[in-house]
Structure formats: C-alpha cells, structure tokens
Amino acid sequence: MLQKVVRSTIIDAPIGRVWAVLRDFNSHDRWHEVVAQSRIEGGEPASRVGCVRSFTLKDGNRIREQLLSLSDEEYKSSYCIVEATVPLQRYVATITLKPVTDGDRTFWHWESSFATPPGQERELRDMVAQGVYEAGFESLRRHLRAGSDLRAGTDDAPPARATAGPMPSRQVRISRFGGPEELEPMPGEAPGPRSGEVRIRQRAIGVNFIDIYLRRGWVPGMLALPGVLGMEAAGSVIDVGDGVGGLLPGDRVAYLCPQPGAYCSVRTLPATHVVRLPAEVEDETAAALLLKGVTADYVLRDLGRVRPGMRLLVHAAAGGVGLLLCAWARQLGARVTGTVSSEAKARVAREHGCEHVIVTPDYRFADAVQRHCGGADLIVDGLGDAARDENMAALAHCGHWISLGQASGPLQPLDADWLMAKSITFSRPVVFHYVATPDKLAERAARVWGALAAGTLATPVVERFALDAAARAHERLESRASMGSLVLVA
Ligand SMILES: NC(=O)c1ccc[n+]([C@@H]2O[C@H](COP(=O)([O-])OP(=O)(O)OC[C@H]3O[C@@H](n4cnc5c(N)ncnc54)[C@H](OP(=O)(O)O)[C@@H]3O)[C@@H](O)[C@H]2O)c1
C-alpha cells in the first residue's frame, strides 16, 4: 500500500523570496540541515525538467532525484526518487506555494507518496515527515532570517534578475523653485535597474521639511530642474540589477536616500539605500517613520548622548520628528520640554512623552525654559533663524545646541565668541551622513522598528494625501497646522 505524507506551514517571507530558493533544484545543501552536498548530474541547468540531482545526506545516505515539473506561474514543482540508499520506493513529491495576503507571507505545502518494505511504514513515514519536511521548514526559515539566500545570482537564477525596460511611473515634478503650486503631477518613467540598482513599486512616500527647502531652492545643488522631490518611500521590489545582494522581487522595503526623487509611483535607485521591512511594519508606517526615526536615533543616541536626568528642549514637539524625539528621549530618562504653536499640538506632544509643553507661536520660550528647569542641556532645533537668540538664552552653561533645520528661515552665521559666553557646543548635522553605509542604515532602521515593536515609539500619527495632491501636503506642512508625519499614497 502507498504511504502518504502531507505537511504544510507558513513562512514569514514574500512568495517571490521563498520560491527563489525552492525552485532551485540544486539548492538544498545551502539551506536544508540534513543535506551535506547536492549536485546536478551532467551539468544541466537546475531548472530543466528531467534533470537529476544527486544528494549526499549528512548521515551518509545517498539519494538521486529527478525533476518532473516546474511552474513559475503556479509556484509548484514535483520530483521523484530514481535511486536511494534508503528504502523509499516509487517516491513522488510535490511542493506548492501560495501567497498569504495578510502580512506578505507564504503558505508552503509539501506532500509525497511512496511504498516501503513491509514493517517499515511508520518509521519511514516519520523520517519523511519530521526528518525531511518539518526539518526543511525550519531550515528554510533560518536560511531566510540569516539572509543567506540573498547572494548574487547563479547561472540558473530565477527570472527575478532579468533586465527589463522602463516602466510607467506617476511623478510629481517641479520645473522651477517656488511655492507649493510648482508641484505638478505628470506621467513619467522608471528605468530598468542597472548594476547595483533596485526598482521599487512605491505605495507610501514620506514628506519631510527638507522637501520644502528644496522646493524653495534653499539647498543649492541638491535638485536639478526639472526635478522630483522626496527623500524616502516604502513599497515592494519589482526587480533588481546585477550584483545586488540582499533584495529580491516581492520583498517589502523602505529607503531613505540623499538624492531626491521619491514623489513617484515607481522608482529606480541604488540598492545601498534600501532596507527590508519587518512583516509587521506597514508601508505607511515605514514612510512616516524611517527618515524621521533614524534622525531621532542619531540625534538622541550619538550626537546628543541623552542620559537620564538630562534637560532636553525639543522644538516643534508635535511635528514628525518632534513626537519621536519626545517619546524616545523620555524612555531614555531625559526631562523633556517642548515648544509648540497651539494648545491642540500641546495635547498631542504630552501624549507622546513631552513632560512640559510651552505654547508659543512666536518663538518666545527662553524665560519659560529657565523658570521650569534652569536651562536646557540639549536643544534640538528645527526652527532656525527666528529662534536663534531665544535658543542661546534657553541653554544652560555647557549646553549643546543641535541645529537640525530651519523651518522659520535659514540660520544666520554664528559668531564663535557668542557660543563662548556659555561654553556652548553647536552642531549642524545631516541625517544622510549618519546612514552613509548599508550596515549603518540597517542598524539604525532596526533600532527604529525595535522601538516601535517595544512600544517606545507609538504607531506614528499620519496625515495622508494622494501622490497627486503633494501640493496640498506641502501647504499643510508649511502652514504649521500639521501634527505628526505626512505621507503621500501612490
Ligand atoms: N538635519 C537632519 O538630519 C534632519 C532630519 C529630519 C528633519 N530635520 C529637520 O527637523 C525639523 C522637523 O522636520 P519635520 O519634517 O518633522 O517637520 P515638522 O516638525 O512636522 O513640521 C515643522 C514644524 O516646525 C514648526 N515651525 C515653526 N515655524 C515654522 C514656520 N515658519 N513654517 C513652518 N513650520 C514652522 C511647526 O511646529 P509649531 O507650529 O508647533 O512650531 C511645524 O509643524 C525641520 O526643521 C527639518 O528640516 C532635520
């Protein structure tokens, strides 16, 4: 009588990534814990139906198996044993994958039928079920978690890497510097990825205050006209160019990048700026959080070296970066004071960990800070010129002024002797320098997702706009009415 073994599981990875490993008939010695060596006989491609693979197992057994069918459309393959030192007779197996839409995961079904010598039915059924299938599920999970599948392609790589032509991309472009009315939606194209590049179907695009500086022409040389604004987005990989390790079609990703160009539906960019997203981080959350969260991370952890009891002053405390700074600094034990321009913003800032809120639409806060805590050890200032003198007055001796941005206007040059009056340290950092390598970016992004998972950072407050309505998003951000992050949905 034929024995039947059926096992299935859910793998926490997109179907494209799981299939890229399983469709390779010669891949098992790279991921399955029981396989010591795998070789395709006669040098045939590992995806050619009829090819035979020769396994040596870690326990010394040998198995030759033949590929019977392979369907990239159905994510399905079948194979049979043609010769083996284990007594599995007439063994035929099928692997089928299905996408799990909830969370971009993969359902993996593995089944086989075979005959055995009398009396060995149960032993061999258990060996196939546990020793091969269950162990295989776990082995593949480990392999994907370690990213070991994400190496450069083999000669027989899946179609994922095929070079493709341009794809239509909806873009929001400016042709000259100026107000929000300069933002113009129009059709465009995203070229096929070249070596080292990845093409992304973008679903959510983060709006940052730097987009406004660029639109106004305040950052010389950073945006050639006509040009597309935007420094960050989230979505999924369409295809990758040669030499890209770590990313495959279907992977959910986010990026932040010093070259503007994110206000579009499909973008091609260097893979070095891209990180894979954990399943639980949604596209909108990622676009709302990546650049701003990474900024909060380097400001508090590296540049500001925030420690318990430190007196911190955060401007625009209900803004995108401001809310994250308040929540994270509070968790690090700092005493957080914030400035905001309205009572409504004060409520939101308090809910996010801002202990003491000063409501001031006209940049007057120094006296209130001195009264409340005797001066700030650290000021995180995205306001710029209008708050210049008040910042100096609000600082404690030996304080640190981190000039992060210039929402009120470009900060005029400072006199070094002016800083000396209180032994002030002054910093003028740029987020991109703090994520200049893929490792640094991955490390900081992981800390941001970790803070979200731990509840240190709340799911961000997001105001959504359609990509075509980018001009309205800019009006809202520069009107000082917005709270939290603004995201364009493509
Ligand atoms: N250097 C870096 O690495 C880096 C990285 C990210 C962000 N940043 C900077 O951090 C700051 C916050 O960025 P964000 O994207 O999160 O923006 P945001 O804080 O959500 O929005 C800017 C806020 O600035 C305040 N503001 C004061 N005067 C303003 C004016 N004249 N026009 C507009 N806003 C004014 C407003 O809050 P109130 O009304 O409550 O005052 C406004 O909500 C910006 O300066 C940005 O350039 C720097």
Side-chain angles (χ1 to χ4, degrees):
M1 195 175 90
L2 276 183
Q3 306 300 309
K4 193 163 172 141
V5 171
V6 179
R7 287 291 184 276
S8 54
T9 192
I10 303 274
I11 301 287
D12 200 3
I15 194 165
R17 193 158 167 224
V18 179
W19 182 239
V21 177
L22 294 185
R23 81 183 290 285
D24 182 348
F25 202 51
N26 196 29
S27 70
H28 287 59
D29 56 356
R30 295 198 297 275
W31 61 272
H32 200 305
E33 66 181 22
V34 304
V35 179
Q37 208 180 29
S38 170
R39 171 178 73 79
I40 300 289
E41 296 177 1
E44 285 196 87
S47 58
R48 180 172 296 163
V49 169
C51 74
V52 174
R53 71 182 169 201
S54 175
F55 277 161
T56 307
L57 303 184
K58 290 200 176 136
D59 64 6
N61 275 304
R62 286 170 180 276
I63 301 182
R64 292 176 65 234
E65 290 177 326
Q66 185 167 35
L67 184 61
L68 299 177
S69 68
L70 179 75
S71 166
D72 286 321
E73 285 71 38
E74 292 177 276
Y75 300 105
K76 190 169 182 173
S77 69
S78 60
Y79 57 95
C80 66
I81 291 181
V82 290
E83 192 182 352
T85 54
V86 280
L88 290 170
Q89 299 152 2
R90 290 151 57 204
Y91 175 99
V92 179
T94 304
I95 281 175
T96 313
L97 303 183
K98 301 264 182 212
V100 179
T101 46
D102 169 21
D104 217 0
R105 294 172 294 161
T106 303
F107 174 75
W108 173 3
H109 181 83
W110 202 350
E111 68 173 57
S112 58
S113 60
F114 50 87
T116 69
Q120 285 188 265
E121 293 86 352
R122 188 184 177 136
E123 178 199 340
L124 287 167
R125 268 202 322 267
D126 287 352
M127 185 203 73
V128 170
Q130 270 100 48
V132 182
Y133 296 0
E134 298 285 355
F137 294 154
E138 268 321 299
S139 299
L140 189 80
R141 281 195 186 97
R142 271 198 300 277
H143 182 72
L144 297 176
R145 267 199 302 270
S148 325
D149 56 316
L150 303 172
R151 72 214 145 71
T154 62
D155 292 345
D156 192 38
R161 275 171 205 283
T163 311
M167 285 179 69
S169 170
R170 186 85 184 148
Q171 299 181 338
V172 178
R173 223 182 280 174
I174 60 168
S175 303
R176 58 179 185 193
F177 299 121
E181 68 284 356
E182 299 300 337
L183 290 163
E184 244 188 306
M186 60 178 66
E189 278 186 346
R194 293 170 305 181
S195 177
E197 289 184 332
V198 55
R199 180 158 52 180
I200 297 172
R201 166 75 182 92
Q202 304 196 146
R203 298 211 169 71
I205 299 144
V207 177
N208 291 283
F209 219 92
I210 189 175
D211 305 347
I212 289 177
Y213 308 145
L214 288 178
R215 195 205 67 217
R216 291 175 180 164
W218 284 10
V219 192
M222 203 164 163
L223 179 71
L225 297 180
V228 176
L229 297 173
M231 320 307 287
E232 66 173 334
S236 53
V237 172
I238 298 170
D239 46 9
V240 299
D242 288 341
V244 174
L247 295 171
L248 283 172
D251 278 349
R252 293 184 56 249
V253 293
Y255 68 84
L256 72 101
C257 156
Q259 294 86 33
Y263 286 12
C264 60
S265 59
V266 181
R267 185 175 183 190
T268 308
L269 77 161
T272 46
H273 303 306
V274 178
V275 288
R276 289 210 311 274
L277 283 177
E280 60 279 10
V281 179
E282 290 177 4
D283 294 339
E284 281 185 23
T285 301
L289 207 52
L290 184 60
L291 188 148
K292 298 172 185 74
V294 160
T295 298
D297 179 62
Y298 85 75
V299 163
L300 298 176
R301 196 187 151 91
D302 302 273
L303 192 56
R305 298 194 188 149
V306 167
R307 45 189 192 277
M310 199 170 190
R311 295 164 297 178
L312 179 63
L313 177 62
V314 176
H315 290 314
V321 175
L323 288 178
L324 305 177
L325 285 168
C326 290
W328 220 338
R330 188 68 181 274
Q331 194 262 343
L332 293 169
R335 296 171 60 192
V336 185
T337 298
T339 67
V340 294
S341 60
S342 70
E343 288 297 342
K345 287 187 171 190
R347 270 195 303 281
V348 174
R350 275 188 211 102
E351 282 163 19
H352 283 75
C354 190
E355 196 183 335
H356 183 72
V357 187
I358 301 166
V359 180
T360 169
D362 55 359
Y363 316 102
R364 294 285 165 266
F365 48 83
D367 287 349
V369 172
Q370 291 292 350
R371 272 197 310 277
H372 173 65
C373 61
D377 300 309
L378 178 66
I379 296 184
V380 188
D381 168 32
L383 300 183
D385 210 50
R388 181 179 195 268
D389 294 351
E390 288 280 305
N391 276 331
M392 197 58 183
L395 278 160
H397 279 88
C398 306
H400 185 180
W401 175 2
I402 299 180
S403 170
L404 203 63
Q406 46 193 24
S408 76
L411 190 65
Q412 295 308 304
L414 299 181
D415 180 350
D417 283 350
W418 196 51
L419 299 173
M420 196 179 71
K422 280 187 177 177
S423 294
I424 298 304
T425 308
F426 178 80
S427 301
R428 192 84 171 91
V430 177
V431 60
F432 305 111
H433 298 150
Y434 287 83
V435 287
T437 64
D439 284 353
K440 267 285 161 218
L441 173 62
E443 184 189 321
R444 291 198 189 281
R447 263 202 301 276
V448 174
W449 313 139
L452 184 67
T456 301
L457 299 179
T459 303
V461 175
V462 175
E463 294 190 26
R464 276 175 212 84
F465 297 82
L467 174 60
D468 279 7
R472 281 207 291 115
H474 274 219
E475 280 162 10
R476 176 105 177 132
L477 185 57
E478 59 193 341
S479 73
R480 300 180 74 173
S482 66
M483 291 191 248
S485 300
L486 286 76
V487 166
L488 306 177
V489 184

